[in-house]
Amino acid sequence: MSKRVLVSSLVGVAVIGGVVAGGLAMASTATEMTLENGSATYVAPVGGNAGSMTFTAEARDESGVRGLNVVAWPASSKLDPTEAELRHVDSATCREATDGFSRCTYTLKVTKKEAAELAQGAWHVSALATANDGSTVYLPRAATFHVNH
C-alpha cells in the first residue's frame, strides 16, 4: 500500500470519527428545564361564591415534570421567597401535554372573609419546577396579579 493511500485512509477515518463523535455529543446534550408562559389571575368573591387566585405555567424537561411549587405574596410585604423555601409550599397540578412538556395549574379558593384580609394592590407569584431527573428551575417573579376589593 502506498503512503498516499495510507495517509488518505487515516485522514478519512479521523474525519468520519469526528463527525460521528460530534453527532453523538449533540444527541446526548441535555436541554435545561424551562418554566414559561406563567400567568396569574385573582377573582374576588361575589355573593355567596368563593373567589380564587389561579396561576398557570408551562414546564418542560426531557425527563418529564415531577411537580411545581407555588407561593403568592403581596408586593407590599417585601417578602422575597427563596428556592429553598419553595420546596415546602403548595403544589400545582401538572398534566403532561406532550413528551416532556406539562401544563401546570395552581388554584387557591378565597372566601369573603379571607378576601377582606388580603393586602390590596400588586401580588407576586414565585414558582419552583422540578423535573423527574431532579433538575429544577426557580422563578422568584413568575407572575404578578392585582387584588382589589
Side-chain angles (χ1 to χ4, degrees), residues 32-97:
E32 290 186 24
M33 180 170 204
T34 61
L35 181 61
E36 53 195 19
N37 300 323
S39 66
T41 57
Y42 172 76
V43 177
V46 176
N49 298 324
S52 64
M53 187 288 293
T54 302
F55 172 74
T56 58
E58 297 169 349
R60 181 184 308 266
D61 190 82
E62 290 176 347
S63 70
V65 177
R66 182 185 313 159
L68 177 68
N69 292 3
V70 177
V71 68
W73 47 281
S76 62
S77 72
K78 306 296 183 207
L79 291 175
D80 198 8
T82 65
E83 181 174 347
E85 291 169 330
L86 255 74
R87 295 182 191 281
H88 308 287
V89 298
D90 292 339
S91 298
T93 301
C94 296
R95 301 215 190 295
E96 189 171 348

Side-chain angles (χ1 to χ4, degrees), residues 67-141:
L68 177 68
N69 292 3
V70 177
V71 68
W73 47 281
S76 62
S77 72
K78 306 296 183 207
L79 291 175
D80 198 8
T82 65
E83 181 174 347
E85 291 169 330
L86 255 74
R87 295 182 191 281
H88 308 287
V89 298
D90 292 339
S91 298
T93 301
C94 296
R95 301 215 190 295
E96 189 171 348
T98 60
D99 190 34
F101 167 77
S102 293
R103 186 171 319 281
C104 301
T105 303
Y106 171 77
T107 301
L108 178 65
K109 296 294 180 191
V110 180
T111 66
K112 271 191 171 183
K113 181 180 177 188
E114 292 167 335
E117 296 171 359
L118 292 176
Q120 290 196 57
W123 282 59
H124 299 298
V125 176
S126 297
L128 173 66
T130 304
N132 288 330
D133 65 6
S135 62
T136 62
V137 63
Y138 169 63
L139 296 179
R141 304 281 190 288

